[in-house]
Amino acid sequence: MNLEHLLTKEHLQIRETIREFTKKEIMPRTRELEADYSLVEEVHQKLVDMGVQADGYPEEYGGGGHGSMKSLCIITEELAKGDAGISLSVGINAGIILKPAMVVENKFVMDQFIPRFTGDKLAYACISMTDEQGGADSENPLLAGGGIKTTARLEGDEYVINGAKSWPTHGGVAECYLTVCNTDPSAGDEGIALIYVPKDTPGLTFGKPEEKMLFKTSINSSIYYNNVRVPKEYRLAGPGMDANIYHFFEVGTGWHSSAMALGVAERAFELALAYTGTRMGGFKPVRQHSMVAGILADMAIGIDMMRASVYNLSCMLDNLDVYGPPWSPQLISKASATRVFAGDKAVEIVNKGAELLGSMAISKDFGYEKCLRDAKIFQLWLGGQQICRYRVARGYYDLKNWA
């Protein structure tokens, strides 16, 4: 996709700034960053100092007031070229988790949490979604909320939350936890509740950080809710609208996954292109051989199609007056199609590049092995590719709930 006519001078400046930051602060230090999380936090703090964290929040709270999906897509893509885990954290902290409160104008939640993200210090946010019991059932749209095992019971003016969540990003370090709960499993979508839980709330505890082969620069820890009590005002909106916003999250997280996948695939292509230009075989650079040229062409074609899909979705999300509410089956379907395509294509592109690099693809000294590790998650998280396909199908016909 040719983007230049779609990007403003501000977009171009953002792209150049983040691209140069990534080349200077992340790419030369990937091994050190994966080994020492304090260095990761130094990178995040530099991005905070640049205004990236605050940019997606309203100006009245000290934010930048921008928050366009196109701008965040540029930031996500460019950072993911250096480190997808850092890119993931930046997107989460820059407004994705508190965006629902801004959409429904829950001023209580906004007043409580947004100022923590518009100051001069790094702050983490967390979406607490996948249940320890049932796993991807939490994200399965055919279960109409019935797969959500974490419960929320209204007692007077407080919600009492019980349950356990697995693999949430920023578990244990976040300022707030947007928790996906169920008030009544028999009520379908009406039983879905989204409740913000502040850190240090009594009854809120965490597991140890997960040991992972990929995304080592982002923290994942289980979250446990043992009679966690929060004022009812921390609920996002109420029955019905909470479910709409949860489905909106299916759009937003799928978009975010796709933008990161694009960055990882682009980095893999850059490394493969450079290596095959200097590696000699048959008395000439190997990329001058027709077989290698064909593989590089396939990688380039895939990236072009990924970019077209991801930025088209970004433009759609920036123009909801045209495309309708983000929780509509049609928009969820389009976002899910982009997520499935981008996830599968990223793995395909990275694997093709590895064939060209041979043993260098798995050398820690070269850096391509990081692309191999990081790409796989885009097919695995957020319910996985198969459950995501249910959302695609629902944009075209009435795929029934399981009941």
Side-chain angles (χ1 to χ4, degrees):
M1 182 179 189
N2 296 311
L3 294 174
E4 302 311 300
H5 68 293
L6 299 175
L7 302 181
T8 65
K9 288 183 179 180
E10 184 179 24
H11 289 138
L12 295 172
Q13 184 177 11
I14 291 171
R15 187 174 66 182
E16 184 62 24
T17 299
I18 301 300
R19 183 172 291 175
E20 289 304 311
F21 179 89
T22 301
K23 288 179 179 178
K24 177 182 177 183
E25 301 289 345
I26 300 177
M27 286 182 179
R29 308 167 63 203
T30 53
R31 290 182 65 179
E32 292 87 347
L33 290 167
E34 289 194 332
D36 186 348
Y37 194 75
S38 67
L39 298 178
V40 176
E41 293 206 307
E42 289 179 7
V43 171
H44 281 305
Q45 185 58 53
K46 289 179 180 179
L47 288 165
V48 172
D49 295 341
M50 292 164 58
V52 172
Q53 179 174 278
D55 196 50
Y57 295 98
E59 290 179 332
E60 58 266 34
Y61 287 92
H66 298 102
S68 79
M69 301 302 279
K70 201 183 301 180
S71 295
L72 188 53
C73 189
I74 292 168
I75 294 169
T76 301
E77 174 191 0
E78 293 299 330
L79 288 174
K81 291 178 186 178
D83 191 284
I86 290 174
S87 180
L88 171 66
S89 291
V90 168
I92 291 172
N93 298 339
I96 288 177
I97 304 305
L98 284 161
K99 183 70 172 179
M102 292 184 265
V103 169
V104 302
E105 297 181 347
N106 183 327
K107 197 168 187 312
F108 182 85
V109 168
M110 293 167 68
D111 290 347
Q112 291 292 317
F113 295 116
I114 289 180
R116 308 185 194 193
F117 294 87
T118 56
D120 57 3
K121 299 296 183 183
L122 169 64
Y124 294 100
C126 176
I127 172 68
S128 183
M129 181 164 55
T130 301
D131 285 287
E132 192 173 74
Q133 280 188 314
D137 281 355
S138 306
E139 290 96 346
N140 191 335
L142 301 186
L143 299 181
I148 300 169
K149 303 303 181 185
T150 299
T151 62
R153 184 179 69 257
L154 186 61
E155 288 188 1
D157 292 332
E158 294 180 320
Y159 277 102
V160 182
I161 305 173
N162 283 281
K165 300 289 190 179
S166 295
W167 289 97
T169 302
H170 301 158
V173 298
E175 296 289 322
C176 63
Y177 298 85
L178 178 53
T179 306
V180 180
C181 307
N182 203 320
T183 61
D184 181 0
S186 67
D189 275 1
E190 293 291 311
I192 295 175
L194 301 183
I195 302 174
Y196 288 92
V197 178
K199 69 174 184 179
D200 300 329
T201 302
L204 186 69
T205 57
F206 308 94
K208 65 178 182 179
E210 301 286 352
E211 295 287 341
K212 304 169 293 182
M213 78 169 194
L214 48 76
F215 278 51
K216 292 177 178 288
T217 53
S218 64
I219 292 173
N220 299 82
S221 298
S222 294
I223 304 176
Y224 304 99
Y225 300 81
N226 183 17
N227 291 321
V228 170
R229 292 178 173 269
V230 296
K232 63 181 182 181
E233 289 82 5
Y234 278 117
R235 181 168 182 175
L236 179 65
M241 182 54 74
D242 278 14
N244 286 340
I245 296 297
Y246 186 48
H247 299 318
F248 161 71
F249 250 100
E250 295 167 356
V251 174
T253 54
W255 163 86
H256 198 207
S257 178
S258 302
M260 285 182 282
L262 174 61
V264 171
E266 287 174 328
R267 180 58 176 161
F269 180 66
E270 289 173 358
L271 290 170
L273 190 64
Y275 180 79
T276 56
T278 57
R279 176 70 171 179
M280 303 298 289
F283 308 108
K284 59 185 175 182
V286 295
R287 72 184 186 190
Q288 296 300 329
H289 293 278
S290 59
M291 183 178 292
V292 174
I295 293 174
L296 289 169
D298 284 342
M299 294 174 73
I301 291 166
I303 288 170
D304 272 354
M305 296 304 101
M306 286 176 70
R307 187 179 297 113
S309 182
V310 171
Y311 276 90
N312 179 66
L313 178 59
S314 300
C315 291
M316 292 174 70
L317 294 174
D318 279 336
N319 292 276
L320 295 178
D321 55 325
V322 176
Y323 295 102
W327 51 79
S328 71
Q330 291 72 32
L331 198 51
I332 290 173
S333 176
K334 298 299 183 186
S336 300
T338 296
R339 172 258 164 96
V340 169
F341 175 75
D344 287 348
K345 190 57 68 173
V347 170
E348 177 187 322
I349 288 168
V350 172
N351 286 345
K352 281 182 177 292
E355 294 172 11
L356 300 179
L357 271 64
S359 296
M360 290 301 293
I362 60 172
S363 169
K364 284 191 174 181
D365 290 332
F366 188 71
Y368 196 90
E369 58 89 31
K370 179 171 172 56
C371 298
L372 281 168
R373 288 187 287 111
D374 284 350
K376 189 61 184 177
I377 192 61
F378 304 122
Q379 293 179 317
L380 303 179
W381 61 8
L382 305 172
Q385 298 293 70
Q386 299 309 317
I387 282 180
C388 198
R389 282 176 164 87
Y390 295 151
R391 301 187 190 112
V392 176
R394 284 186 137 197
Y396 295 91
Y397 68 96
D398 184 20
L399 181 60
K400 298 294 186 182
N401 293 340
W402 295 337

